Amino acid sequence: MSTDTTGTVARDGEQRPGGPADSPFIRACRRRPGPHTPVWFMRQAGRSLPEYREIRASVPMLESCRRPDLVTEITLQPVRRHGVDAAILFSDIVVPVAAAGVDLDIVPGTGPVVAEPIRSAADVERIRPITRDDVSYVDEAVRQLVVELGDTPLIGFAGAPFTLASYLVEGGPSRTHAKTKALMYGDPELWHALCGRLAEVTLAFLRVQIEAGVSAVQLFDSWAGALSEADYRRYVLPHSAAVLAGLADAGVPRIHFGVGTAELLGAMGEAGADVVGVDWRTPLDVATGRIGRDRAVQGNLDPCVLLAPWPVVEAEVRRILEQGRAAPGHVFNLGHGVLPETDPDVLTRVVALVHELSGRRADQG
């Protein structure tokens, strides 16, 4: 077998029961019942963990993403500590564009900084296609992790074309996305050329991860919430849909997530994902009404709630589980990433609580 997409087929080609494909996480993504609601956390691989901070203390971010030994260890840390139902590959959304020839760095306290922001068609042409060899360290890390994780599914991920484009046009993070929107409105042809090229890079990057053995993938469109629905449909949806459609035959669930996307949830569902991530602003039952019952949902505890006293956390977890029952499948998660100041023990307690409450409900039929 050249591809082991969900863990039901071993590398020797023999069918085996169980494995990641029969895990609570994959079952929920497929809108199938399971023993409990699965839970994992965005940015669980690091951020709040002291063991992560120790291992990263002297290693720059991009270098850590290119070292399979570090990627493997950091990805495994939250699985060991919290007992989450899925691991997510430790990486960064700019890894594939760096591999495609874009000169950038991840600056501590700032984020991705691009040496020469995109301004012309010639700049777009310099973003070259990528192959497995360009990101061989990711391929190696995924293969190591699949062995280490056993029955626990591994989620691969990439940044969506719009979010990647916003970094490349702005030259770094932006609150207003003014330069991005100026290009989008002022030169639509160049904008679509840029996003089309980034969609190709993203698709290739996710394909490498799938062929190496991830059980699911998540497409992060972190900044899509900066757009109106009309602009999203015109300038963004075709490119996200191209990535997700390009994975339709890959045999793994596809998750699509953005922040501040309440008014975009229906359109994001149309992009072709199997699961739509919902941030903390929209109740899951409301989100399900917008997305439709042919998609599972993921979310959506406000990361700041984890800083509150435990009774508050518990009440919010109960509320989200109850609202998640409206969806045909629910993966419990945060509404965005784990904050660095979060107490890791609270995350561990949340996992146990989700499993207890949802498992009790499953036992009751």
Side-chain angles (χ1 to χ4, degrees), residues 224-249:
L227 301 173
S228 69
E229 182 184 0
D231 285 346
Y232 178 85
R233 288 184 177 278
R234 180 177 179 184
Y235 297 109
V236 177
L237 179 57
H239 305 290
S240 294
V243 175
L244 294 166
L247 302 174
D249 65 346

Side-chain angles (χ1 to χ4, degrees), residues 119-142:
R119 295 290 181 267
S120 68
D123 295 334
V124 173
E125 286 300 314
R126 285 198 293 270
I127 304 172
R128 59 181 178 79
I130 65 169
T131 66
R132 188 192 64 80
D133 290 342
D134 293 312
V135 288
S136 59
Y137 42 86
V138 172
D139 176 84
E140 182 180 344
V142 170

Side-chain angles (χ1 to χ4, degrees), residues 31-332:
R31 308 188 305 283
R32 295 164 55 199
H36 60 256
T37 299
V39 53
W40 68 278
F41 305 112
M42 287 181 282
R43 293 183 184 159
Q44 67 184 17
R47 302 278 289 185
S48 67
L49 298 183
E51 55 265 43
Y52 166 79
R53 294 173 182 170
E54 180 180 356
I55 203 172
R56 277 282 328 280
S58 59
V59 184
M61 181 63 180
L62 271 178
E63 180 185 342
S64 67
C65 295
R66 292 166 174 160
R67 286 179 50 180
D69 59 328
L70 288 185
V71 172
T72 299
E73 170 59 23
I74 293 169
T75 301
L76 290 172
Q77 286 175 350
V79 180
R80 297 191 198 108
R81 181 185 274 260
H82 304 313
V84 286
D85 292 287
I88 185 163
L89 181 71
F90 175 73
S91 188
D92 191 275
I93 64 170
V94 299
V95 165
V97 291
V102 176
D103 184 3
L104 58 83
D105 192 16
I106 301 175
V107 179
T110 300
V113 175
V114 179
E116 298 181 21
I118 299 294
R119 295 290 181 267
S120 68
D123 295 334
V124 173
E125 286 300 314
R126 285 198 293 270
I127 304 172
R128 59 181 178 79
I130 65 169
T131 66
R132 188 192 64 80
D133 290 342
D134 293 312
V135 288
S136 59
Y137 42 86
V138 172
D139 176 84
E140 182 180 344
V142 170
R143 293 180 188 277
Q144 290 178 5
L145 281 162
V146 168
V147 173
E148 293 284 341
L149 287 165
D151 290 346
T152 301
L154 175 63
I155 305 167
F157 82 91
F162 173 78
T163 291
L164 293 177
S166 72
Y167 281 116
L168 298 188
V169 173
E170 299 286 343
S174 171
R175 291 185 180 274
T176 63
H177 306 280
K179 295 176 183 176
T180 302
K181 291 184 178 182
L183 175 62
M184 192 174 72
Y185 297 137
D187 194 342
E189 184 176 353
L190 179 59
W191 171 260
H192 286 296
L194 171 59
C195 288
R197 180 64 57 91
L198 292 173
E200 293 170 0
V201 170
T202 297
L203 178 57
F205 188 55
L206 290 172
R207 278 281 184 184
V208 168
Q209 296 174 57
I210 290 168
E211 289 171 5
V214 300
S215 296
V217 293
Q218 176 156 311
L219 188 65
F220 283 85
D221 212 350
S222 306
W223 309 134
L227 301 173
S228 69
E229 182 184 0
D231 285 346
Y232 178 85
R233 288 184 177 278
R234 180 177 179 184
Y235 297 109
V236 177
L237 179 57
H239 305 290
S240 294
V243 175
L244 294 166
L247 302 174
D249 65 346
V252 303
R254 299 156 294 170
I255 309 168
H256 196 19
F257 172 75
V259 182
T261 55
E263 299 304 318
L264 308 181
L265 288 172
M268 291 183 72
E270 293 172 23
D274 304 288
V275 185
V276 177
V278 183
D279 76 9
W280 68 93
R281 298 171 178 88
T282 309
L284 291 180
D285 49 355
V286 174
T288 294
R290 297 176 182 177
I291 295 164
R293 296 195 56 81
D294 56 346
R295 305 278 189 271
V297 298
Q298 179 175 278
N300 66 342
L301 182 68
D302 185 339
C304 293
V305 168
L306 296 171
L307 308 180
W310 177 252
V312 177
V313 178
E314 181 176 353
E316 285 297 287
V317 169
R318 289 177 179 272
R319 178 184 64 81
I320 289 165
L321 284 173
E322 184 61 31
Q323 291 174 345
R325 296 180 67 184
H330 177 208
V331 176
F332 191 98

